[in-house]
Amino acid sequence: MKSEKILEVKDLVVEFQTDRGTVKAVNGVNFDVYKGKTIGIVGESGSGKSVTALAIMGLIPNPPGRVAGGDIRFNGKSLVNIDPSEMRKIRGNKIAMIFQEPMTSLNPVFTIGNQIEEVIELHQPHLDATQRKEKAINMLRLVGIPSPEKRVEEYPHQLSGGMRQRVMIAIALSCEPDILIADEPTTALDVTIQAQILELMKKLQKELGMGIILITHDLGVVAETCDDVAVMYCGQIVESADVKTLFNHPSHPYTRGLMDSIPSFDSTSGHKKERLQTIEGMVPSLFNLPSGCNFQERCSKVTDACRGVNGDPVLKPATDESHLVACFNPLK
Amino acid sequence: MSEYLIEVKDLCKKFPIKGGLFGREIGAVNAVNNVSFKIKKGETLGLVGESGCGKTTLGRSILRLIEPTSGEIIFNGQNIINYSAAEMRAVRRKMQIIFQDPYASLNPRMTVGDILAEPMEIHGLHTDKNARRKRLLELLNQVQLPSDALNKYPHEFSGGQRQRICIARALAVEPEFIVCDEPVSALDVSVQAQVVNLLMDLQRDLGLTFLFIAHDLKVVEYISNRVAVMYLGNMIEVAESSELYGHARHPYTKALFSAIPHASTAGRAGRIILEGDIPSPMNPPAGCHFNPRCWNATEECRKTFPPITNQSATHQYRCYNPIK
Amino acid sequence: MQANTKSPSLFKSAILRVLSEKISLAALVVVAIYFLLAFLVSIGVLASDWGKEVAASYAEPSSVVWFGADIFGRSVFLKVIKATETAVMLGVVVSMISMFIGATLGMIAGYFGGLVDEIIVWFYTTVSSIPGIMLLVAIAFILGKGTTTVFLALGLTSWVGLCRIIRAEVMKHKDREYVQAANAIGAGHVRKLVKHILPNVSHLLIINFTQTFDSAIKAEVILSFLGLSVVGRPSWGGMIDDAKLELGRGVWWQLGAATLAMFIIILAFNILGDALRDALDPKLKGK
């Protein structure tokens, strides 16, 4: 049963002007977000995953950045050259975002109740102060904060990291958005708290039916929470599939390399284990990308076809129509 | 001569809480509370725990970068807890540390060559110019950095490369023991694997002993022979790494390992999600500090702090009602 | 890539940055010109005859006397040039004194903390609580009028701001991991302070130099009003002070010339100071 498609990103290109020249942080990215489903965007530093999220929210700082090509369609409407006042109505209201560092994303001089109410005030002006406060308390209850009537008067520094992230989620969901973008929401949290937050997000998605874009570098988190996955490298999607297919049949050598880099618990007895399979070399500088496939210098499966004669690799179906990979020599 | 390179006995570190009108001491945070352990030569002991557990404080206290409040640190048979600054300087050649943040742990105003040469200058090693240059190149080679790195500044390198510089600095004086304080946490996954491999190779080639502190349980379990788990300043379980993963006795250990998301889509039944937050180390619960969040807690757990149970020579834990 | 070329240090790239911006380059050139003038005056090449009578008393500016003449018929233009030497020397010496005291005390206080810190903080809080003018007057009274007095008095009263900044910055850096790392390899206090922390706070010294220079020049004006400034040679403050007798007679050129000369150098140093701050701020360096 196919869900309703609420966001389409088509051939998105985001450029930044720097003193060393123009660089494409995002270079031709395509994906869709469906109601009630979670898509994970996986990548390391410099992959462009956070910039993609900011582009959807219309938060690319301009200057020095700008959306230089492609389209972002929210329920059919283009967000790319939209009027800033129109975008403000959508931001926080229909599309909400939570960030990695709950410590610095909350304003230390306002109570958490105030911060939730601020969003409600902006987008639902018909509610009066009492109604807003009630809604704020309900949101805190929804995200699992105990004694919300008391906590609503507290300041961010009085809360722990996990609590603050829950407050961020409460703020993001207070206007019942259609899409929640979560940029590394649990990276800064302890592992037991991370488990709680991910459980919470799944539960809320079931209850509220929003689409989630989860940006992370942690494949484990992706495996547990996402329905679909897109793997990014140097500003482009190199592989995309539903989560089961990706983990069982990774097709791009980079995806495979990432999975092999993680030590697994299944390595057992005899203490000294084999070395971790690593991906050789480093991510190339975006100012100095090779012609042809961006991954060629680190790829164990590189062939002459990858080095530029055929141009850049394009996403093509691998194991089935919905599993796409951009590779001249994909793994079988 | 003991087979143990380093033995820590009842180590404590208290941070005073000042308050009141004249800034009197009104209480203390027990960041490290009566921790004891031993590490054999050539072994890697992993140390894991979440915020407030004291693992970073413990790592730095062993090197006396933070002064412990009480306890003993026996290194190569000598108790260094009361050594003077001059005596410590000699010991520092043998014990080194690698920090988490490769950006902050290198002086941005010094070249890589100066950074690596400094420990040699301080300890008077390789004073001859040629010998020193040879040693510098040897170090770069050991950590797989190119020789032209000597004249460059830290900001010209990536995170993974900076961490290699930190490792080279730690190796410069030919230490026996290295405390690795979250050495790969700030790096990308693919780079982490490279640095982990490097550390394991160096350990094998140079006979190093590691205390590996991290919060990424998968990496710790992989690189360590034994792993110790800390919670709010106490070491609550220590065992061989495979044993700890499969047969943890302390409920917190079990919950910790269970919380890790797995990069496979095998079913995740029986996942333990702990209730509540990690308590603040300023106000730990009475009795066993874990009891408010523990599903196995009994009356005794709420009253007194559990002593050490020795299940075997390599597996110890502190729990009144461990997992069967 | 040759193994022997050093890549640019943070300082070198900062200088290059400053040189590449037109406005800061212009400011740098202006400052250089003033310093050059001061040097030429001090070796007697320029304005050595500033005391000669060249025109009638209070002669208006003309093609012969560019900036007019003062009450004694001396060329205002030559006086301004001669006073440049005074101003530059003042700025440099005062900055040096205050930098030395402020930086040393700030570093010791920030690094050692505890009782040492408390003593130094008490000391500078006391010094800064005394109104600057009174302190200047008191020192001048004790040491007698004259050029040395002015230098010492200004130097001894302008170090507190720098001391505070350096202390705060050293406190921040003391706990940074690269200092802990130096600890771990066995470095002692002196090495940590001089080799590690000092280079990382030195950008503040440079920026502070430009600010102290400016405030020294302005303070000299106030000293002139109090009659405590340098004797035996013209100074901008002295020329401005004379204006109180002259303006009533419609004589504006001494005031105008001195003010203009001051304005230009202060503006130039301000621009340069800002440019240097941006260029030297390690936080703004890209990763």
Side-chain angles (χ1 to χ4, degrees):
Chain A
M1 187 202 66
K2 205 74 162 108
S3 253
E4 189 190 319
K5 190 192 296 198
I6 36 180
L7 186 83
E8 267 185 83
V9 175
K10 276 175 129 56
D11 298 321
L12 183 65
V13 176
V14 180
E15 279 179 359
F16 281 86
Q17 300 285 354
T18 71
D19 9 294
R20 286 193 284 164
T22 310
V23 67
K24 291 196 166 76
V26 175
N27 193 6
V29 159
N30 286 282
F31 64 89
D32 302 320
V33 181
Y34 295 89
K35 206 164 175 225
K37 299 235 168 219
T38 304
I39 176 166
I41 303 192
V42 183
E44 298 177 298
S45 344
S47 57
K49 55 194 199 299
S50 289
V51 177
T52 306
L54 291 176
I56 296 173
M57 290 289 279
L59 289 174
I60 301 282
N62 180 5
R66 66 186 193 103
V67 174
D71 200 7
I72 302 172
R73 288 193 161 270
F74 175 56
N75 281 331
K77 189 167 168 195
S78 172
L79 297 181
V80 170
N81 284 316
I82 198 178
D83 197 62
S85 58
E86 284 290 312
M87 192 65 213
R88 275 198 292 274
K89 291 204 197 115
I90 296 179
R91 204 185 284 139
N93 188 15
K94 300 266 168 239
I95 307 181
M97 187 159 174
I98 59 176
F99 299 90
Q100 175 173 342
E101 287 285 348
M103 326 296 153
T104 47
S105 308
L106 288 172
N107 192 329
V109 301
F110 288 102
T111 63
I112 56 177
N114 272 335
Q115 301 194 45
I116 304 177
E117 287 167 36
E118 185 180 12
V119 183
I120 302 174
E121 200 178 348
L122 272 172
H123 296 294
Q124 298 183 346
H126 54 273
L127 296 176
D128 68 34
T130 330
Q131 290 171 310
R132 279 203 297 270
K133 180 118 184 225
E134 207 185 298
K135 195 146 191 217
I137 296 179
N138 282 335
M139 287 311 302
L140 288 181
R141 192 171 294 126
L142 184 68
V143 297
I145 292 186
S147 323
E149 322 74 30
K150 275 201 301 177
R151 304 305 274 240
V152 84
E153 303 292 347
E154 284 184 0
Y155 288 87
H157 68 266
Q158 295 172 276
L159 301 168
S160 68
M163 288 286 170
R164 283 185 241 198
Q165 197 59 299
R166 288 172 192 266
V167 170
M168 290 296 306
I169 296 175
I171 295 176
L173 297 180
S174 53
C175 296
E176 286 127 45
D178 294 325
I179 298 181
L180 173 66
I181 305 179
D183 189 354
E184 306 261 20
T186 55
T187 305
L189 302 173
D190 285 315
V191 71
T192 52
I193 308 294
Q194 171 175 290
Q196 291 176 351
I197 299 289
L198 293 175
E199 265 310 287
L200 175 67
M201 283 173 60
K202 279 202 283 204
K203 170 174 151 277
L204 291 171
Q205 184 176 47
K206 271 210 186 71
E207 283 179 38
L208 303 174
M210 69 255 180
I212 300 182
I213 302 176
L214 180 64
I215 298 172
T216 179
H217 64 273
D218 189 335
L219 282 170
V221 168
V222 168
E224 300 229 346
T225 56
C226 299
D227 300 296
D228 299 294
V229 189
V231 179
M232 285 186 74
Y233 188 76
C234 290
Q236 296 176 317
I237 294 183
V238 296
E239 186 162 6
S240 69
D242 65 86
V243 69
K244 233 174 151 167
T245 313
L246 192 87
F247 281 95
N248 289 331
H249 305 287
S251 202
H252 197 288
Y254 176 61
T255 313
R256 189 66 213 245
L258 279 183
M259 291 178 185
D260 288 340
S261 300
I262 305 170
S264 67
F265 283 116
D266 309 316
S267 46
T268 51
S269 59
H271 176 68
K272 274 323 175 193
K273 303 143 181 161
E274 313 90 47
R275 301 174 103 235
L276 288 171
Q277 294 284 78
T278 59
I279 307 177
E280 293 294 312
M282 295 187 317
V283 180
S285 157
L286 290 176
F287 291 100
N288 216 350
L289 292 173
S291 63
C293 176
N294 290 334
F295 190 60
Q296 58 180 277
E297 273 145 33
R298 311 173 69 193
C299 186
S300 51
K301 299 230 160 299
V302 66
T303 66
D304 286 326
C306 310
R307 299 197 198 276
V309 272
N310 296 320
D312 294 337
V314 169
L315 281 172
K316 289 206 178 72
T319 55
D320 62 52
E321 278 304 308
S322 61
H323 178 186
L324 301 171
V325 66
C327 183
F328 291 120
N329 190 15
L331 302 166
K332 298 294 168 266
Chain B
M1 192 68 209
S2 173
E3 69 192 291
Y4 293 109
L5 182 65
I6 185 156
E7 257 186 83
V8 169
K9 291 191 183 154
D10 294 322
L11 196 67
C12 279
K13 176 63 192 172
K14 290 199 213 308
F15 288 106
I17 306 174
K18 293 212 161 99
L21 212 42
F22 294 100
R24 289 162 301 137
E25 216 175 282
I26 53 173
V29 175
N30 282 334
V32 176
N33 195 12
N34 281 320
V35 169
S36 307
F37 61 88
K38 304 194 256 232
I39 314 182
K40 285 195 203 154
K41 265 199 244 290
E43 194 189 7
T44 300
L45 177 69
L47 189 57
V48 298
E50 296 180 298
S51 317
C53 70
K55 59 191 193 295
T56 300
T57 309
L58 177 60
R60 296 188 192 195
S61 300
I62 296 176
L63 261 50
R64 289 185 57 198
L65 290 177
I66 297 179
E67 284 299 337
T69 312
S70 65
E72 289 179 9
I73 305 168
I74 302 177
F75 182 72
N76 258 335
Q78 315 272 28
N79 185 357
I80 64 169
I81 194 87
N82 284 319
Y83 269 24
S84 67
E87 288 167 308
M88 270 315 287
R89 181 168 299 181
V91 176
R92 293 225 190 280
R93 258 201 75 186
K94 301 283 154 206
M95 316 166 95
Q96 283 294 313
I97 185 164
I98 300 168
F99 295 98
Q100 169 176 1
D101 188 346
Y103 296 97
S105 45
L106 295 174
N107 187 336
R109 312 273 187 178
M110 287 170 73
T111 60
V112 172
D114 289 335
I115 292 174
L116 297 181
E118 191 180 15
M120 297 189 235
E121 260 176 52
I122 295 176
H123 295 277
L125 303 169
H126 308 288
T127 43
D128 168 60
K129 232 170 76 160
N130 285 324
R132 176 159 301 179
R133 189 167 171 83
K134 192 156 157 262
R135 175 78 182 133
L136 287 175
L137 291 173
E138 191 181 34
L139 282 172
L140 287 180
N141 196 25
Q142 277 181 329
V143 299
Q144 292 155 30
L145 281 171
S147 52
D148 62 2
L150 287 180
N151 286 320
K152 295 199 185 155
Y153 287 88
H155 67 263
E156 299 178 62
F157 294 95
S158 71
Q161 290 173 318
R162 283 191 223 201
Q163 200 59 299
R164 289 170 195 268
I165 298 171
C166 291
I167 294 174
R169 174 175 59 191
L171 294 177
V173 289
E174 291 161 69
E176 293 172 20
F177 175 60
I178 303 186
V179 173
C180 304
D181 189 355
E182 309 251 21
V184 295
S185 311
L187 305 174
D188 278 327
V189 165
S190 56
V191 180
Q192 278 190 22
Q194 292 176 353
V195 176
V196 166
N197 277 345
L198 174 65
L199 287 171
M200 289 180 75
D201 287 343
L202 288 170
Q203 180 177 42
R204 185 195 58 224
D205 295 337
L206 302 172
L208 298 168
T209 306
F210 287 145
L211 176 66
F212 195 89
I213 304 173
H215 63 259
D216 186 340
L217 295 160
K218 302 195 284 287
V219 172
V220 174
E221 198 265 351
Y222 177 80
I223 197 177
S224 312
N225 301 90
R226 284 183 305 140
V227 177
V229 182
M230 286 186 73
Y231 189 78
L232 284 185
N234 298 292
M235 196 169 272
I236 51 124
E237 186 160 12
V238 58
E240 302 224 332
S241 38
S242 46
E243 169 95 356
L244 198 71
Y245 174 56
H247 306 286
R249 300 307 301 278
H250 197 291
Y252 175 65
T253 311
K254 185 145 201 258
L256 199 61
F257 278 87
S258 163
I260 306 167
H262 275 214
S264 71
T265 49
R268 296 282 293 130
R271 212 269 184 97
I272 302 167
I273 307 270
L274 287 176
E275 296 280 313
D277 274 327
I278 302 169
S280 157
M282 292 206 275
N283 213 352
C288 169
H289 294 335
F290 184 60
N291 82 69
R293 304 168 83 199
C294 185
W295 62 95
N296 261 5
T298 65
E299 258 319 293
E300 198 176 12
C301 305
R302 288 183 254 277
K303 285 208 293 235
T304 47
F305 193 71
I308 301 182
T309 308
N310 279 307
Q311 174 162 300
S312 71
T314 52
H315 192 164
Q316 289 97 35
Y317 57 87
R318 287 182 186 270
C319 185
Y320 286 123
N321 192 10
I323 300 174
K324 303 295 166 259
Chain C
M1 176 92 61
Q2 300 138 338
N4 286 325
T5 43
K6 259 194 173 209
S7 42
S9 70
L10 285 169
F11 278 122
K12 289 207 195 92
S13 36
I15 305 286
L16 288 172
R17 192 97 155 257
V18 168
L19 290 177
S20 63
E21 302 263 323
K22 289 205 206 72
I23 296 186
S24 51
L25 182 58
L28 187 60
V29 167
V30 168
V31 170
I33 291 177
Y34 271 71
F35 273 67
L36 182 63
L37 284 176
F39 173 66
L40 291 174
V41 170
S42 67
I43 56 173
V45 168
L46 276 182
S48 47
D49 52 349
W50 63 274
K52 243 178 28 180
E53 192 183 319
V54 294
S57 173
Y58 288 141
E60 279 189 12
S62 65
S63 52
V64 176
V65 235
W66 293 345
F67 278 97
D70 69 356
I71 187 172
F72 295 121
R74 298 179 293 200
S75 163
V76 168
F77 179 67
L78 287 178
K79 278 175 76 174
V80 163
I81 303 282
K82 176 74 180 173
T84 308
E85 181 204 12
T86 316
V88 168
M89 243 178 34
L90 189 70
V92 169
V93 173
V94 169
S95 295
M96 290 287 152
I97 297 176
S98 90
M99 256 166 53
F100 181 72
I101 303 178
T104 312
L105 288 181
M107 282 193 357
I108 295 176
Y111 181 80
F112 287 104
L115 187 61
V116 173
D117 181 38
E118 283 183 31
I119 293 177
I120 293 180
V121 171
W122 168 84
F123 180 54
Y124 73 59
T125 311
T126 311
V127 169
S128 67
S129 309
I130 304 174
I133 308 281
M134 284 184 55
L135 208 47
L136 285 172
V137 171
I139 296 177
F141 188 70
I142 299 173
L143 298 175
K145 274 171 41 170
T147 315
T148 328
T149 309
V150 173
F151 286 178
L152 272 178
L154 285 178
L156 291 173
T157 51
S158 51
W159 56 268
V160 176
L162 179 66
C163 188
R164 283 202 177 101
I165 297 175
I166 295 285
R167 172 178 172 268
E169 194 75 5
V170 169
M171 276 166 58
K172 258 192 344 206
H173 278 270
K174 179 175 69 152
D175 293 323
R176 288 262 168 91
E177 287 185 343
Y178 70 88
V179 176
Q180 295 242 6
N183 239 340
I185 58 178
H189 294 311
V190 176
R191 175 180 280 267
K192 276 188 286 189
L193 263 176
V194 174
K195 213 161 175 229
H196 286 278
I197 299 184
L198 181 55
N200 279 292
V201 302
S202 52
H203 62 286
L204 293 172
L205 294 176
I206 295 177
I207 295 163
N208 184 268
F209 175 83
T210 63
Q211 292 171 334
T212 315
F213 194 100
D214 281 350
S215 45
I217 295 179
K218 289 186 207 153
E220 193 267 322
V221 175
I222 302 193
L223 284 181
S224 297
F225 286 179
L226 297 173
L228 292 173
S229 188
V230 294
V231 289
R233 56 216 287 189
S235 65
W236 295 333
M239 293 167 72
I240 294 175
D241 185 46
D242 288 344
K244 65 179 186 278
L245 296 170
E246 299 168 356
L247 280 178
R249 308 166 65 148
V251 173
W252 54 267
W253 33 98
Q254 205 169 206
L255 174 67
T259 313
L260 185 64
M262 265 181 68
F263 172 73
I264 295 175
I265 183 71
I266 290 180
L267 180 64
F269 253 122
N270 265 320
I271 294 175
L272 195 57
D274 276 339
L276 280 173
R277 181 183 305 114
D278 287 346
L280 285 171
D281 189 341
K283 284 198 218 82
L284 295 180
K285 283 274 162 289
K287 268 201 236 179

